[in-house]
């Protein structure tokens, strides 16, 4: 798939909630990638779009070569006609000024058809109600362009380009042209600073809470992203209408005051991303909750957690953890046997105490069930050691990608969670990710009760005895387990996809920027050290 200069795939530029996409180009890779983001999309090839009514498409993507010369106008005009207001025309455009093509024309050699200057297609689109959203370079050869310009100055002059345009145009093989039907929305520049992805669960939560949701925003015109990780040096440019998203820091005086001063001077609205109860980190309280009070706003994942944060900052946005991409439905599996035992997955992270009362029930089931059982365990070494079976494996902390692979391999996922203030503020992400991969959860009602429909999309338990009975049912009744897995998958597809909620985050960011003066005053009231900024 085509990659953008910042490493993002081209699929990110298509609005994730587009219900109809018209595609001109060969191959199915882009279609398959978008279907994982939006499984409800209707994806039509360009040659099948002739009967479509005007204004019905969320995006038109042109990857193949455009027609030559005057024949290009009807194509761009039809594309603009198909777009709904706010829809995107995205063109992978070959440039006629690339030095290899200029050399071929000068030598009288044939050149591939379909190259156009971006100004040509932009003007045609403008006449059809379009506005340029972005023009970026997809592929370039600066060294080759420089050598060509030195050897063939007359050919360069014959291009009729301004002197300051000659070098970049000679270097560019392909542009990405992005045009929105209608007016551009107000701009947003988002600079996100995430935790060190190599440490613990940071990589998983940086993806779930920051980087992946922000990639959805990049499909909205006039949104620009910069994603950064600890421990690289923090270099934040000055940006009007800028949002600085800071993932799970612990702000300590006096160093954090200096950081906040600098961010305020650079015109950012500072948003703290925090998705766990702050009581786990005593230093936050020791510094008078500066982590939250010193920001303009806080974003989090659940309403119970928002309630815990609002005493320190009333400007809290709640964005739940949903699925960015939905794998294809998992086909039914054969009955477990010794060669392919039923797999139970327990991925402990701050759950070890919740599992202790359940260990005897699991061992009893392993001993008595006719079904061969294999148990996979992450991080809870004590629980793993207490399992009375050789069919087991243990892993320390694994990457988020590997964690999802292990969930996809499992038939049953165990989600015990004790009833504590910290746990009540957690999200139901583990259920949603398991359901998306065809595994059935057996979960505590803490966190999962409001989401999991007992016996329909998963199983809930409140006592060790109920846990034992329901785990036995899930292990020994394969058709019942498959019905629950199917129901849970359908629930995620219909209600828990990020493509259905990403615009709420964008609207919240826009509202913060529109109220920046109000938010500035509120921060200065909460943190006296910032009153002179």
């Amino acid at each position: 798939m085509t990659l953008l200069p910042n490493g993002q795939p081209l699929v990110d530029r298509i609005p994730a909630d587009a219900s109809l996409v018209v595609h001109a180009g060969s191959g199915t890779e882009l279609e398959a990638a978008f279907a994982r983001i939006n499984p409800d999309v209707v994806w039509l090839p360009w040659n099948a779009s002739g009967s479509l009514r005007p204004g019905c498409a969320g995006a038109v993507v042109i990857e193949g070569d455009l027609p030559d010369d005057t024949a290009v106008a009807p194509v761009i005009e039809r594309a603009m006609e198909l777009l709904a207001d706010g829809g995107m025309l995205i063109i992978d455009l070959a440039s006629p000024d690339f030095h290899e093509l200029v050399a071929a024309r000068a030598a009288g050699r044939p050149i591939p058809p379909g190259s156009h200057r971006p100004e040509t297609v932009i003007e045609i689109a403008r006449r059809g109600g379009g506005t340029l959203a972005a023009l970026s370079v997809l592929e370039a050869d600066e060294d080759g362009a420089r050598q060509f310009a030195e050897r063939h100055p007359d050919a360069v002059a014959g291009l009729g380009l301004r002197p300051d345009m000659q070098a970049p145009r000679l270097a560019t093989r392909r542009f990405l042209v992005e045009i929105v039907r209608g007016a551009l929305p107000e701009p947003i520049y988002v600079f996100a600073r995430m935790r060190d992805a190599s440490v613990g669960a940071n990589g998983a939560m940086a993806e779930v809470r920051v980087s992946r949701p922000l990639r959805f925003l990049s499909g909205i015109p006039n949104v620009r992203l910069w994603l950064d990780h600890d421990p690289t040096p923090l270099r934040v440019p000055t940006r009007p209408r800028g949002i600085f998203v800071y993932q799970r820091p612990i702000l300590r005086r006096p160093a954090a005051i200096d950081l906040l001063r600098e961010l305020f001077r650079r015109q950012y609205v500072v948003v703290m991303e925090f998705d766990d109860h702050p009581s786990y980190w005593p230093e936050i309280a020791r510094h008078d909750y500066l982590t939250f009070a010193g920001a303009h706003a806080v974003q989090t994942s659940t309403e119970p957690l928002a309630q815990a944060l609002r005493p320190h900052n009333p400007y809290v946005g709640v964005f739940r953890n949903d699925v960015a991409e939905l794998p294809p439905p998992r086909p039914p599996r054969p009955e477990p046997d010794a060669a392919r035992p039923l797999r139970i997955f327990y991925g402990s992270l701050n759950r070890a105490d919740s599992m202790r009362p359940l260990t005897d029930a699991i061992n009893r089931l392993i001993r008595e069930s006719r079904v061969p059982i294999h148990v996979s365990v992450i991080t809870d070494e004590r629980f793993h050691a207490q399992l009375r079976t050789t069919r087991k494996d243990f892993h320390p902390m694994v990457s988020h990608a590997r964690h999802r692979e292990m969930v996809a391999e499992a038939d049953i996922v165990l989600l015990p969670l004790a009833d504590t203030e910290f746990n009540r503020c957690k999200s139901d992400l583990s259920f949603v990710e398991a359901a998306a991969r065809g595994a059935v959860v057996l979960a505590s009602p803490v966190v999962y009760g409001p989401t999991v429909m007992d016996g329909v999309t998963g199983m809930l338990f409140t006592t060790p005895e109920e846990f034992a009975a329901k785990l036995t049912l899930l292990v020994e009744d394969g058709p019942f387990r498959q019905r629950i897995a199917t129901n849970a998958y359908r629930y995620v597809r219909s209600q828990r996809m990020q493509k259905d909620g990403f615009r709420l985050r964008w609207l919240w960011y826009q509202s913060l920027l529109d109220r920046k003066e109000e938010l500035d005053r509120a921060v200065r009231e909460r943190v006296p050290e910032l009153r002179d900024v």
Side-chain angles (χ1 to χ4, degrees):
M1 186 190 306
T2 300
L3 293 180
L4 308 183
N6 63 1
Q8 285 182 257
L10 177 61
V11 70
D12 285 1
R13 309 306 292 179
I14 305 174
D17 53 357
S19 58
L20 172 64
V21 176
V22 177
H23 179 231
S26 59
T28 60
E29 187 178 9
L30 185 65
E31 177 184 2
F34 192 75
R36 291 193 294 272
I37 293 169
N38 184 344
D40 300 317
V41 70
V42 175
W43 187 280
L44 282 181
W46 177 263
N47 58 14
S49 66
S51 61
L52 292 178
R53 59 179 174 77
C56 63
V60 176
V61 183
I62 300 176
E63 286 189 286
D65 290 331
L66 287 166
D68 278 334
D69 303 327
T70 57
V72 72
V75 173
I76 303 300
E77 290 165 356
R78 174 59 176 161
M80 293 306 304
E81 181 183 57
L82 288 172
L83 288 176
D85 287 343
M88 294 298 298
L89 171 59
I90 302 167
I91 306 174
D92 182 341
L93 182 67
S95 171
D97 301 316
F98 182 56
H99 66 88
E100 291 181 0
L101 298 186
V102 176
R105 284 196 299 271
R109 299 193 303 272
I111 63 172
S115 60
H116 297 273
R117 284 183 172 169
E119 293 84 358
T120 300
V121 297
I122 291 168
E123 174 57 22
I124 298 170
R126 185 193 64 78
R127 295 197 298 265
T131 305
L132 179 65
L135 176 64
S136 52
V137 174
L138 281 180
E139 187 179 355
D141 175 17
E142 294 180 359
D143 290 341
R146 183 171 54 255
Q147 294 171 14
F148 179 83
E150 291 171 353
R151 296 171 184 168
H152 306 283
D154 292 343
V156 174
L159 294 174
L161 296 168
R162 298 196 318 263
D164 62 313
M165 295 289 292
Q166 291 173 355
R169 286 300 175 90
L170 285 170
T172 301
R173 184 191 296 271
R174 292 158 53 226
F175 287 101
L176 186 70
V177 184
E178 299 171 75
I179 294 165
V180 61
R181 182 173 181 83
L184 279 176
E186 286 287 330
I188 296 183
Y189 178 86
V190 183
F191 189 112
R193 177 73 167 187
M194 293 170 283
R195 302 292 298 279
D196 185 350
S198 66
V199 177
N202 287 350
M205 295 319 297
E207 177 186 350
V208 170
R209 293 297 304 161
V210 183
S211 64
R212 200 64 181 89
L214 290 182
R215 282 175 53 191
F216 276 79
L217 297 192
S218 68
I220 299 175
N222 236 7
V223 175
R224 296 292 175 265
L225 305 179
W226 184 269
L227 306 181
D228 191 22
H229 285 87
D230 292 336
T232 57
L234 182 58
R235 299 189 179 93
V236 184
T238 299
R239 284 287 190 274
R241 294 190 67 80
I243 297 279
F244 182 88
V245 178
Y246 205 175
Q247 186 207 5
R248 291 179 67 160
I250 297 178
L251 297 188
R252 304 171 178 89
R253 289 176 166 90
I257 295 296
D258 294 336
L259 171 63
L260 292 171
R261 285 173 177 272
E262 190 59 30
L263 291 171
F264 285 21
R265 278 194 287 264
R266 294 180 183 271
Q267 304 179 44
Y268 283 90
V269 167
V270 178
V271 175
M272 291 299 170
E273 157 59 41
F274 223 87
D275 64 333
D276 271 320
H277 197 285
S279 61
Y280 191 78
W281 297 270
E283 272 196 286
I284 293 177
R286 283 200 293 269
H287 288 269
D288 298 323
Y289 295 94
L290 179 64
T291 297
F292 312 116
H296 291 94
V298 181
Q299 64 181 42
T300 192
S301 53
T302 71
E303 185 54 38
L305 185 50
Q307 292 175 13
L309 299 175
R310 285 191 181 107
H312 315 296
N313 189 324
Y315 301 95
V316 180
V318 179
F319 304 99
R320 70 183 184 187
N321 291 327
D322 288 337
V323 173
E325 297 185 19
L326 187 67
R330 188 164 80 181
R333 291 176 170 175
E335 283 294 311
D337 55 29
R340 198 281 176 196
L342 180 139
R343 300 189 73 92
I344 295 176
F345 174 77
Y346 167 54
S348 168
L349 186 61
N350 302 322
R351 295 176 188 262
D353 291 342
S354 307
M355 179 57 81
R356 298 286 174 259
L358 310 175
T359 305
D360 289 344
I362 295 173
N363 278 325
R364 186 166 56 252
L365 178 62
I366 290 172
R367 183 175 64 250
E368 297 177 357
S369 177
R370 63 179 176 78
V371 177
I373 297 171
H374 184 105
V375 184
S376 296
V377 181
I378 294 178
T379 74
D380 193 341
E381 196 164 4
R382 178 180 170 185
F383 169 71
H384 177 264
Q386 291 175 337
L387 289 171
R388 300 294 178 249
T389 180
T390 57
R391 291 193 180 104
K392 63 180 180 179
D393 56 81
F394 173 78
H395 305 266
M397 188 68 69
V398 298
S399 69
H400 192 206
R402 178 55 186 149
H403 187 281
R404 286 181 296 200
E405 289 173 358
M406 295 176 72
V407 169
E409 294 164 0
D411 299 286
I412 299 169
V413 173
L414 304 181
L415 299 176
L417 209 55
D419 190 3
T420 67
E421 182 182 31
F422 182 86
N423 286 344
R424 287 194 295 273
C425 291
K426 285 181 169 292
S427 81
D428 63 355
L429 176 65
S430 295
F431 160 61
V432 176
E433 290 201 331
R437 286 160 181 79
V440 176
V441 303
L442 178 54
S444 300
V446 176
V447 170
Y448 304 104
T451 305
V452 175
M453 295 180 63
D454 190 28
V456 180
T457 59
M459 297 289 271
L460 298 172
F461 71 93
T462 56
T463 66
E465 294 75 20
E466 191 177 15
F467 173 85
K470 289 187 172 180
L471 182 58
T472 300
L473 177 61
L474 287 174
V475 166
E476 298 192 347
D477 191 338
F480 175 69
R481 190 174 64 246
Q482 182 58 49
R483 285 197 299 274
I484 290 181
T486 300
N487 292 338
Y489 182 89
R490 289 172 177 167
Y491 163 74
V492 172
R493 174 171 175 155
S494 64
Q495 299 186 45
R496 297 304 296 272
M497 299 295 295
Q498 282 192 26
K499 59 97 174 175
D500 295 320
F502 72 99
R503 291 188 188 271
L504 295 176
R505 187 182 305 248
W506 174 71
L507 290 170
W508 188 63
Y509 286 167
Q510 289 280 21
S511 75
L512 296 179
L513 291 165
D514 292 341
R515 294 182 292 158
K516 186 174 185 301
E517 291 185 4
E518 170 195 339
L519 298 176
D520 285 342
R521 288 193 298 271
V523 174
R524 293 181 183 118
E525 285 298 313
R526 293 191 298 267
V527 183
E529 298 99 315
L530 299 175
R531 289 177 182 172
D532 60 348
V533 181

